[in-house]
């Protein structure tokens, strides 16, 4: 069986999969940490994840604030 783990938040949106387990991390509502070799803070973006559950189907979408409007990642 597929296992979904939703985590909120780690200041970035991320998805990692190992076997039947998928971990989905949501962005922070304050600032993001960008994936690089060293930590880089992006204080211009903030956002949230919308999780939709419909019977046996789970879907999610990250919305980030860009120029004052929330847009899909």
């Amino acid at each position: 069986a597929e296992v979904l783990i939703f985590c909120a938040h780690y200041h970035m949106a991320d998805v990692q999969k190992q076997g039947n387990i998928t971990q989905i991390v949501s962005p922070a509502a304050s600032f993001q940490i960008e994936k690089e070799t060293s930590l880089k803070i992006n204080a211009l973006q903030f956002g949230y994840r919308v999780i939709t559950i419909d019977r046996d189907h789970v879907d999610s979408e990250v919305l980030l604030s860009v120029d004052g409007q929330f847009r899909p990642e």
Side-chain angles (χ1 to χ4, degrees):
E2 183 179 10
V3 177
L4 298 176
I5 302 170
F6 286 93
C7 304
H9 65 268
Y10 186 67
H11 294 279
M12 71 173 72
D14 188 49
V15 177
Q16 296 291 320
K17 185 171 178 86
Q18 175 114 18
N20 68 325
I21 300 172
T22 303
Q23 174 182 284
I24 303 167
V25 180
S26 298
S30 53
F31 63 89
Q32 308 313 305
I33 298 174
E34 297 182 2
K35 286 185 178 182
E36 295 188 9
T37 55
S38 61
L39 291 180
K40 181 178 177 186
I41 294 176
N42 180 345
L44 300 176
Q45 284 190 332
F46 55 93
Y48 59 94
R49 179 182 299 276
V50 176
I51 302 169
T52 305
I53 302 171
D54 183 17
R55 296 190 185 262
D56 295 332
H57 182 74
V58 178
D59 192 30
S60 74
E61 178 181 38
V62 170
L63 298 173
L64 293 176
S65 176
V66 178
D67 298 326
Q69 296 183 10
F70 285 98
R71 299 183 183 164
E73 178 185 44

